[in-house]
């Protein structure tokens, strides 16, 4: 139960980060700048922690494993955030949320393709599909009209696949390395792989802007809590529960977002939200009911 609670809390935190990101965007920062700054904060904190504990390790045991860490940094870091944030420029937020939050379906498919022992049972397949339908109901909220945008929707689908591959790659990584090492590598290679982007678009905010109290507070939350703490916890529960089960908790992301918007922004909770949440809860129950 502890592992499931941690997975839910991580998704709940990720569900409310849109407010902090939105405030930073309003303040003039770009999506790429926000990603780099929050990952820098997270990486430096983890680096200090490992050095203080005298557990610092520079490289993985082999070049193949080091390439695995590179892939984790790209799929769970730079490429995921760039495709997700860029998608919202060309398509609606509804489309982006809907497509990205369906990544557990693709994660389950990828894991089943590469790891026969981790395939879902029949009732678990029913459960994950039911949860996916619940996400659709919550996100659409009774407005069953999608404005298709080939470029934007393709970018959102790319973000969905990135997180699915990240979940897949975490299986072999978690079997050979501890959570702190993996997470630090994700942040490092996530930042390193952003260098080509900034070579093309060299644009970073001045230090005076970053140190503004409101901006600094938001960046510290995104870096310390939403990035460092949540990535550590997420990678840890993947090792304990398995990639498929943990990734299914992404279905709760729009639920926590709506609840937060209701509490803070006074947005209305509709019958569609309640129905979709019920489907997600029932689907998650079935996903975990017969798990070996």
């Amino acid at each position: 139960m502890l592992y499931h609670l941690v997975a839910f809390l991580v998704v709940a935190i990720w569900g409310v980060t849109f407010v902090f990101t939105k405030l930073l965007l309003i303040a003039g920062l770009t999506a790429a700048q926000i990603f780099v700054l929050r990952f820098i904060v997270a990486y430096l904190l983890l680096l200090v922690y490992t050095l203080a504990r005298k557990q610092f390790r520079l490289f993985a045991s082999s070049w193949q494993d080091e390439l695995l860490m590179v892939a984790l940094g790209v799929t769970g870091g730079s490429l995921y955030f760039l495709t997700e944030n860029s998608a919202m420029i060309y398509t609606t937020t509804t489309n982006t949320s809907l497509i990205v939050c369906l990544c557990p379906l693709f994660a389950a498919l990828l894991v089943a393709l590469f790891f026969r022992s981790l395939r879902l049972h029949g009732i678990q397949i029913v459960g994950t599909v039911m949860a996916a339908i619940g996400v659709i109901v919550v996100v659409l909220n009774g407005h069953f009209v999608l404005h298709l945008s080939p470029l934007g929707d393709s970018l959102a689908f790319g973000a969905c696949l990135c997180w699915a591959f990240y979940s897949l790659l975490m299986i072999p990584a978690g079997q050979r390395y501890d959570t702190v090492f993996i997470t630090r590598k994700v942040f490092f290679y996530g930042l390193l792989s952003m260098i080509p982007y900034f070579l093309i678009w060299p644009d970073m905010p001045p230090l005076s802007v970053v140190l503004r109290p409101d901006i600094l507070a938001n960046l510290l939350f995104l870096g310390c809590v939403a990035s460092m703490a949540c990535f550590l916890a997420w990678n840890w529960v993947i090792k304990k529960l398995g990639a498929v089960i943990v990734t299914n908790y992404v279905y709760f992301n729009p639920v926590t977002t709506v609840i937060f918007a209701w509490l803070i922004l006074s947005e209305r909770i509709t019958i569609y939200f309640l129905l979709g949440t019920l489907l997600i809860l029932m689907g998650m129950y079935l996903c975990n009911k017969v798990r070996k």
Side-chain angles (χ1 to χ4, degrees), residues 65-78 162 165-171 173-174 182-183 185-187 189-190 231 235:
D65 285 354
E66 194 66 26
L67 286 179
L68 176 61
M69 300 302 165
V70 174
L72 285 170
V74 172
T75 56
S78 56
C162 279
F165 273 103
Y166 177 81
S167 301
L168 174 69
L169 296 172
M170 269 300 301
I171 296 175
I182 295 171
T183 308
K185 283 292 187 177
V186 169
F187 294 148
Y189 284 117
F231 267 82
N235 293 341

Side-chain angles (χ1 to χ4, degrees), residues 10-79:
V10 169
V11 170
I13 292 172
W14 282 342
V16 302
T17 54
F18 80 96
V19 173
F20 299 90
T21 302
K22 183 67 174 179
L23 291 173
L24 291 173
L25 290 171
I26 293 173
L29 274 66
T30 66
Q33 292 170 351
I34 295 170
F35 162 73
V36 167
L37 290 171
R38 66 185 281 186
F39 262 44
I40 287 175
V41 172
Y43 178 75
L44 290 177
L45 286 174
L46 270 184
L47 184 62
V48 170
Y49 173 80
T50 52
L51 289 173
R53 296 286 299 271
K54 298 181 179 179
Q55 297 176 343
F56 179 77
R57 179 178 181 178
L58 188 58
F59 295 111
S61 300
S62 65
W63 66 266
Q64 294 94 336
D65 285 354
E66 194 66 26
L67 286 179
L68 176 61
M69 300 302 165
V70 174
L72 285 170
V74 172
T75 56
S78 56
L79 189 58

